[in-house]
Amino acid sequence: MKYFFFSWLAVFVGSWIVYVEYSSYTELCRGQDCKNSICDKYRKGVIDGSACSSLCKKDTLYLGKCFTAKPNSQVYSGSWGDLEGVIKCQMEEAPHYDLGSEMEPRKETVAFNKPTKGTSAKVGDQPNLADLATQVLSITDANKDGHISLPEARSTWALLQLNEFLLALVLQDREHTPKLLGFCGDLYVMEKVPYSPLYGINLPWVIEVWIPAGLRRSMDQWFTPSWPHKAKISIGLLELVEDVFHGTFGSFLMCDVSATSFGYNDRHDLKVMDARYIVPEAIFQENMRQKRCDVDEDCLLGADCLTSCDLTKHRCTPEVTRPNLAKSCEALKDYILRGAPSDIREELEKQLYACIALKGSVEQMEIEHSLILNNLKTLLWKKISHTKDS
């Protein structure tokens, strides 16, 4: 009787979890609502963009399967004529995760209004504003008529408030971010990345909830490319760290360096899959100075950007405790050491642990930071440069 009771209880609890998760997922996945909202504003002349006509008039831009649904955004597979892409839609009445004064989700409406005088999309302390303005204007002129309409400007302004879009714009001449294919309002279409996450497998959430964390980490390492391909992908992540540190448009902090944030293409080039937590350092620091705290854990953004709490002022300090490189090396450690050639494994492990041990801001240890990064890239590249996998 006891066995029967616990079996029934397990089935009941499992069924309840499935029901709650499924109902939440279906409630958030509202592709038709997203399309209707965007197209209604397009028809009223509020917004415009390179994807508006295809989405709302020609019906050649299709929202397919919803594979990520969160209160603030939805991600769909999609097709645009002969192109396959990923469509990202921000829902107006949903909370948007941004760098607000308290760095918490806040309920707001996407601003398609004219920006307040003097407002700017701040990237860094010393960005090359002329070049950035040129890039912004080039994508804003969606119909390429040499003029920028108010609806086009409204769409671009709304998109510039999104970290992911801003990073794609800043790094559009690099290979680490998917190409922007088009936009309409704050809906935008990105190039499809064939393989994600960076390692491991995507399991249905119904199965995922029953797998212990330790077993899940082991399973992830079973499903990875060959070691030379992993080395090339790892070099790509190290190059991304270089790109976002003191780049043309300022410095960025990587606040979620996890496998799910990255993927790769058929040539094993690393691609950023989720850039919501790659944030401008200047904005991060400005908001951290204003954030109230009682313990260090109150000064955390994402999974990886932690500062310390100044208990004399009960305010967060602005400097992160670990640089981007240390967090990236920690994410790569198990990935790149598994299956590593015996002749470099010991040296590779030594360099990775030296990298993981980096502390403080990059400005305080810039020479050491650059030396470790270049040594890792050189070690990996020398091992694969003579192979077809490179």
Side-chain angles (χ1 to χ4, degrees):
M1 192 66 182
K2 186 184 295 185
Y3 175 78
F4 175 78
F5 172 75
F6 282 110
S7 298
W8 176 84
L9 184 62
V11 170
F12 176 79
V13 172
S15 300
W16 178 252
I17 292 173
V18 169
Y19 170 75
V20 171
E21 290 287 338
Y22 180 76
S23 60
S24 299
Y25 183 80
T26 52
E27 182 181 344
L28 292 172
C29 273
R30 295 175 288 141
Q32 193 59 44
D33 289 349
C34 172
K35 178 180 177 180
N36 291 343
S37 174
I38 291 291
C39 290
D40 181 58
K41 290 181 177 62
Y42 169 62
R43 294 187 185 102
K44 290 177 179 177
V46 176
I47 59 173
D48 199 358
S50 55
C52 290
S53 178
S54 297
L55 178 70
C56 304
K57 286 184 177 180
K58 301 176 183 177
D59 283 329
T60 54
L61 176 57
Y62 298 100
L63 276 70
K65 179 184 177 184
C66 173
F67 54 86
T68 302
K70 297 181 180 180
N72 58 308
S73 64
Q74 301 165 10
V75 182
Y76 298 86
S77 62
S79 60
W80 191 358
D82 296 331
L83 297 174
E84 286 191 41
V86 175
I87 301 172
K88 304 195 175 187
C89 180
Q90 315 300 312
M91 294 301 291
E92 284 192 11
E93 299 303 323
H96 286 256
Y97 291 80
D98 66 353
L99 289 173
S101 60
E102 292 299 322
M103 287 198 177
E104 296 289 344
R106 59 190 176 94
K107 188 154 185 165
E108 63 179 13
T109 301
V110 178
F112 291 113
N113 298 321
K114 182 179 178 181
T116 305
K117 185 176 181 181
T119 305
S120 64
K122 189 174 180 184
V123 179
D125 287 325
Q126 294 177 320
N128 188 330
L129 293 178
D131 288 348
L132 181 59
T134 300
Q135 289 187 213
V136 170
L137 293 174
S138 69
I139 66 159
T140 303
D141 184 13
N143 57 9
K144 305 303 178 188
D145 63 354
H147 302 281
I148 295 175
S149 66
L150 184 56
E152 287 174 334
R154 286 188 183 121
S155 292
T156 306
W157 177 252
L159 289 170
L160 287 173
Q161 313 310 308
L162 306 174
N163 287 331
E164 185 165 35
F165 184 86
L166 183 60
L167 189 74
L169 181 65
V170 167
L171 298 180
Q172 68 175 352
D173 59 338
R174 305 291 291 172
E175 62 182 23
H176 306 307
T177 53
K179 293 179 181 176
L180 174 68
L181 302 179
F183 65 92
C184 182
D186 60 351
L187 176 147
Y188 58 105
V189 188
M190 304 290 286
E191 169 192 19
K192 182 180 179 181
V193 178
Y195 304 103
S196 66
L198 185 61
Y199 54 80
I201 53 173
N202 284 313
L203 295 174
W205 58 265
V206 177
I207 299 174
E208 189 89 52
V209 295
W210 298 106
I211 299 177
L215 176 59
R216 185 70 174 95
R217 285 193 295 270
S218 298
M219 289 174 61
D220 282 341
Q221 296 302 328
W222 299 341
F223 297 90
T224 56
S226 65
W227 190 86
H229 287 153
K230 288 196 293 184
K232 185 179 181 185
I233 293 167
S234 299
I235 291 170
L237 182 55
L238 296 173
E239 289 175 343
L240 175 65
V241 171
E242 285 184 298
D243 287 343
V244 300
F245 170 61
H246 285 333
T248 307
F249 305 113
S251 297
F252 288 75
L253 293 174
M254 299 167 66
C255 295
D256 186 1
V257 190
S258 61
T260 55
S261 297
F262 305 98
Y264 57 94
N265 61 15
D266 293 323
R267 297 174 54 210
H268 296 91
D269 297 320
L270 179 97
K271 297 288 184 180
V272 177
M273 295 294 297
D274 185 352
R276 288 173 303 150
Y277 284 106
I278 301 181
V279 300
E281 184 178 29
I283 296 178
F284 173 86
Q285 292 180 342
E286 179 183 317
N287 286 279
M288 275 298 173
R289 288 189 185 97
Q290 301 171 14
K291 187 171 175 64
R292 197 184 186 286
C293 63
D294 295 308
V295 293
D296 288 350
E297 287 69 24
D298 293 334
C299 305
L300 178 68
L301 177 65
D304 296 310
C305 284
L306 178 70
T307 74
S308 59
C309 180
D310 183 349
L311 292 177
T312 62
K313 301 176 182 177
H314 285 281
R315 288 289 185 271
C316 295
T317 57
E319 298 293 340
V320 290
T321 55
R322 301 182 71 200
N324 291 335
L325 182 58
K327 296 176 286 191
S328 299
C329 286
E330 187 166 22
L332 288 175
K333 179 172 68 70
D334 292 339
Y335 178 71
I336 196 63
L337 285 178
R338 183 181 177 88
S342 57
D343 58 327
I344 70 162
R345 182 182 172 86
E346 184 177 347
E347 178 62 22
L348 179 59
E349 187 171 16
K350 177 182 175 183
Q351 290 192 24
L352 282 169
Y353 277 107
C355 176
I356 293 170
L358 288 170
K359 298 286 185 182
S361 66
V362 178
E363 286 79 1
Q364 297 169 351
M365 57 175 71
E366 191 162 346
I367 295 176
E368 184 182 6
H369 179 279
S370 299
L371 185 62
I372 290 176
L373 192 151
N374 289 328
N375 285 345
L376 271 170
K377 284 175 58 180
T378 300
L379 181 64
L380 294 173
W381 186 248
K382 279 185 176 179
K383 193 62 186 176
I384 66 170
S385 58
H386 62 284
T387 69
K388 64 178 182 180
D389 297 307
S390 64

